[in-house]
Amino acid sequence: MIDKLELLLALAKERHFGRAAEACGVTQPTMSTSIKQLEEILGVMLVQRGSRFLGFTPEGERTLEWARRIVGDARAMRQDIGALKGELSGELRIAAIPTVLGMVAQLTTPFRARHPNVRFSILSCTSSEVLGLLENLEADAGLTYIENEPLGKVRSVPLYQESYRLITSPDGLFGDREQVTWQEVGQVPLCLLTPNMQNRRIIDRALRAAGTIAHPTLTSNSIIVLYTHVKTGRWASVMPAKLAETLGLGDGVRTIPIIDPVVSYSIGLVVPPREPYTPLVAALMQVAREVAPSLESDV
């Protein structure tokens, strides 16, 4: 039953029988047969079938909710029993929004010092993708905003408040200022994250509140792309203060606080709302609580 539910979750992710089968390392006939057997066990149709995958029936959607719960509990049970043998081991999968990638090491480094047999997988994605990966058991934890847009059913550990800086060269527009307003930032040609990123939506909202809009000369979903451009000193951007500090932009670039108003949003660790937590997730939450004061004081 657990194996069949795992295949159902893969189908929910891929929305395609062939790709789901490939992701699980089985043949497509095996995938189809397993789903049909699950339907026979439950006595309902789970999948709308045609020449291709058409989606889940209402019964299928409800079964998915139970599948996530059952598979998650089964994985937690295996981890918990394994942990009784000694040191924690296995892989900890963390999904993170791009603007927090610079501080992930401040969680993973003390965690690894305490649990050296644990491996990490860090994935950069949008805030909505973070929640989707958690829901479908493709990530164990996420790093994202925790008070700006709806999070749904997750538990969170606050880490620090994200505030914002104008990143520009000393001879750029407003580059000689000690602080700037959001209205003034709207006059600067910027390179920014793409609109599907929550950080970009936060910046756009702050600019609109100040009666202006962004005028990006470059957009990207990659922080590295923004970083390499602003580091030349010939481009400007708006970045979280902590990210700018972590990147170390150099003497040719200034990071200027943005005021009127001062905008800040809480960044935190989010995990699925199932208890007991897996040993890996519980250990990560403990480390997050321990390092949070130092993260906040660095901002």
Side-chain angles (χ1 to χ4, degrees), residues 51-174:
S51 58
R52 55 186 175 83
F53 176 80
L54 300 176
F56 291 96
T57 64
E59 294 83 359
E61 293 289 352
R62 181 60 60 87
T63 302
L64 275 174
E65 294 177 13
W66 281 100
R68 294 184 181 108
R69 187 182 307 177
I70 293 168
V71 172
D73 287 346
R75 292 178 183 177
M77 179 184 67
R78 286 192 289 266
Q79 273 194 30
D80 198 26
I81 293 173
L84 295 176
K85 301 175 182 178
E87 278 288 331
L88 289 183
S89 62
E91 182 179 56
L92 189 54
R93 302 163 301 169
I94 302 174
I97 58 174
T99 52
V100 306
L101 291 175
M103 56 71 58
V104 176
Q106 296 182 63
L107 286 177
T108 55
T109 301
F111 187 104
R112 188 170 182 271
R114 194 173 300 176
H115 309 290
N117 294 326
V118 174
R119 307 181 310 278
F120 294 93
S121 173
I122 312 296
L123 180 66
S124 174
C125 51
T126 67
S127 56
S128 60
E129 288 170 341
V130 169
L131 301 179
L133 291 170
L134 287 177
E135 182 182 34
N136 217 41
L137 305 181
E138 298 168 69
D140 301 301
L143 291 166
T144 187
Y145 299 97
I146 61 174
E147 61 179 15
N148 181 42
E149 295 179 359
L151 283 176
K153 297 178 180 179
V154 296
R155 304 286 171 79
S156 62
V157 178
L159 293 174
Y160 63 92
Q161 289 292 124
E162 180 180 273
S163 58
Y164 303 93
R165 302 287 187 269
L166 173 65
I167 313 300
T168 188
S169 62
D171 58 353
L173 184 61
F174 306 121

Side-chain angles (χ1 to χ4, degrees), residues 248-267:
L249 293 165
D251 296 334
V253 178
R254 294 200 62 214
T255 62
I256 305 172
I258 306 175
I259 62 167
D260 194 21
V262 174
V263 174
S264 68
Y265 288 91
S266 184
I267 297 292

Side-chain angles (χ1 to χ4, degrees), residues 1 34-47 49 57 59-60 63:
M1 175 64 80
S34 296
I35 299 300
K36 287 179 180 177
Q37 289 173 346
L38 189 57
E39 290 177 325
E40 291 171 2
I41 292 170
L42 297 175
V44 294
M45 294 292 293
L46 302 176
V47 177
R49 293 179 176 83
T57 64
E59 294 83 359
T63 302

